[in-house]
Amino acid sequence: MKSDASTSAAPLKGLGGPLRSSEPVRVVRVASPAVHLLEEAADLLVVHLDFRAALETCERAWQSLANDSLTEEPAGTYLEVKCSLCIVGIQALAEMDRWQEVLSWVLQYYQVPEKLPPKVLELCILLYSKMQEPGAVLDVVSAWLQDPDNQNLTEYGALCELHIQRVLLPLGRLLEAEELVVGSAAFGEDQRLEVLQAIRTVRQQRKQECSGSQEAPKLNQEGSFSHKFLSLLMLLRRLWDCAVSHFLSLSFKRSLLATLILCLLVVRIDPASPSSLPFLYQLAQLFHRIRKAMFARLYQLPLHD
């Protein structure tokens, strides 16, 4: 995997809670080809940063385990070597940005989820939750937690809490998380109350998000209606101003013409006479100033939306 911190799934140190699956692999000093291959794979991963070679070495070690099975060693040694090989292989896949293959790669050696070691299961939960794909491990972890043999392990309570925090809550499975907390004897009273409080907090956040998403379309509809109504009012005002302006303009022209004719009749001025032109010009200017003073507001610039 690339070394970009925002997308890289490794290194996975410090992501977990009580468990320590990402601690350096503890190699058992056993004269076995599988153990030697495990040491070689860990050296390729940590020192040489040759992740592909480390993964291939792990697979060769698995084949060696299948052949000799460390028959002369205690059962705990055999299980510890298998778990260590899985941890090295998971980190190698994560470094090569092949984290999607982790579950299938692990299950091909353990066959069923219930047989996964707690350290390997924790590492899978942390990896997929960090890559924002917690749903990929949901069925695997649920099957592991429901197995009666696993419920007697000391790591069971820590894995339950990790499953709730990293898988169930991000997926919105709040009811399932509550049932797991209430029905499991692995939680102490204080721990149970703390987890239940976290579940209630997530439920309140989801309710607020849901109500906010429902109010958003209503606000948009109200805003759109208000904008349309305002635009309609502005259009009606413009039409009214134009009509009034046109009407007053016609009436004024008629009044001006009637006044001019009346003035000509009373004063008896000959319009064709050159001496009457200054008087007519001054009369027109007077009416123009009166019109401008009285109806100036009708010729203001129209408002824009």
Side-chain angles (χ1 to χ4, degrees):
M1 180 180 285
K2 286 38 173 202
S3 61
D4 187 3
S6 62
T7 58
S8 176
L12 297 175
K13 282 189 178 181
L15 288 178
L19 299 181
R20 293 292 183 269
S21 64
S22 56
E23 293 178 350
V25 178
R26 184 176 56 180
V27 179
V28 181
R29 297 297 178 181
V30 180
S32 168
V35 175
H36 290 305
L37 289 173
L38 173 59
E39 293 177 347
E40 181 182 349
D43 187 65
L44 290 169
L45 176 70
V46 179
V47 179
H48 301 285
L49 302 180
D50 191 346
F51 309 122
R52 185 179 301 277
L55 180 63
E56 293 174 354
T57 304
C58 287
E59 293 174 346
R60 295 205 324 267
W62 276 107
Q63 294 175 0
S64 177
L65 280 177
N67 294 332
D68 56 41
S69 299
L70 298 177
T71 53
E72 298 181 357
E73 301 299 330
T77 300
Y78 173 73
L79 296 177
E80 187 174 0
V81 171
K82 287 182 64 175
C83 179
S84 299
L85 286 172
C86 275
I87 293 174
V88 174
I90 289 172
Q91 293 185 349
L93 286 170
E95 290 287 357
M96 291 188 293
D97 202 12
R98 293 169 55 185
W99 56 271
Q100 299 94 335
E101 306 174 24
V102 165
L103 269 182
S104 59
W105 186 84
V106 170
L107 289 175
Q108 72 177 335
Y109 299 113
Y110 284 95
Q111 283 77 46
V112 292
E114 293 83 354
K115 300 302 180 182
L116 290 176
K119 294 181 180 180
V120 173
L121 186 63
E122 180 207 9
L123 198 59
C124 291
I125 295 174
L126 295 174
L127 173 63
Y128 281 90
S129 65
K130 181 177 181 181
M131 303 309 294
Q132 298 182 356
E133 289 291 341
V137 295
L138 175 63
D139 295 336
V140 173
V141 182
S142 298
W144 192 94
L145 294 176
Q146 293 172 4
D147 186 74
D149 295 334
N150 294 329
Q151 294 177 3
N152 297 324
L153 299 175
T154 56
E155 300 92 344
Y156 184 82
L159 280 174
C160 277
E161 185 175 359
L162 188 66
H163 178 54
I164 292 172
Q165 297 289 348
R166 297 298 187 98
V167 179
L168 295 181
L169 294 187
L171 292 176
R173 295 177 173 264
L174 306 183
L175 183 59
E176 186 175 344
E178 287 180 340
E179 293 175 353
L180 180 59
V181 175
V182 175
S184 176
F187 291 95
E189 189 62 27
D190 295 339
Q191 187 182 13
R192 181 178 287 107
L193 292 176
E194 182 180 352
V195 176
L196 289 175
Q197 179 60 37
I199 295 173
R200 283 192 290 268
T201 302
V202 174
R203 179 177 283 113
Q204 292 176 357
Q205 292 175 353
R206 288 184 173 271
K207 287 182 179 180
Q208 292 175 358
E209 293 174 358
C210 182
S211 61
S213 61
Q214 291 177 354
E215 291 177 358
K218 294 181 179 179
L219 293 176
N220 292 334
Q221 292 178 358
E222 292 176 358
S224 177
F225 176 77
S226 300
H227 180 71
K228 292 180 179 179
F229 183 71
L230 182 60
S231 300
L232 179 61
L233 290 179
M234 296 298 296
L235 179 61
L236 292 175
R237 179 181 176 182
R238 289 179 179 179
L239 293 175
W240 173 257
D241 289 345
C242 291
V244 171
S245 176
H246 182 68
F247 175 77
L248 291 178
S249 178
L250 291 178
S251 301
F252 181 77
K253 290 179 180 179
R254 293 176 181 175
S255 302
L256 180 61
L257 180 60
T259 305
L260 182 59
I261 295 174
L262 181 62
C263 182
L264 293 176
L265 292 176
V266 174
V267 183
R268 296 183 179 277
I269 297 177
D270 185 7
S273 176
S275 59
S276 62
L277 292 179
F279 175 76
L280 294 177
Y281 177 76
Q282 293 177 1
L283 185 61
Q285 288 292 328
L286 177 61
F287 277 100
H288 179 70
R289 293 193 187 96
I290 295 174
R291 180 175 181 266
K292 185 177 181 180
M294 293 178 61
F295 308 110
R297 62 181 183 85
L298 299 176
Y299 295 93
Q300 295 176 352
L301 293 177
L303 297 176
H304 295 280
D305 294 340

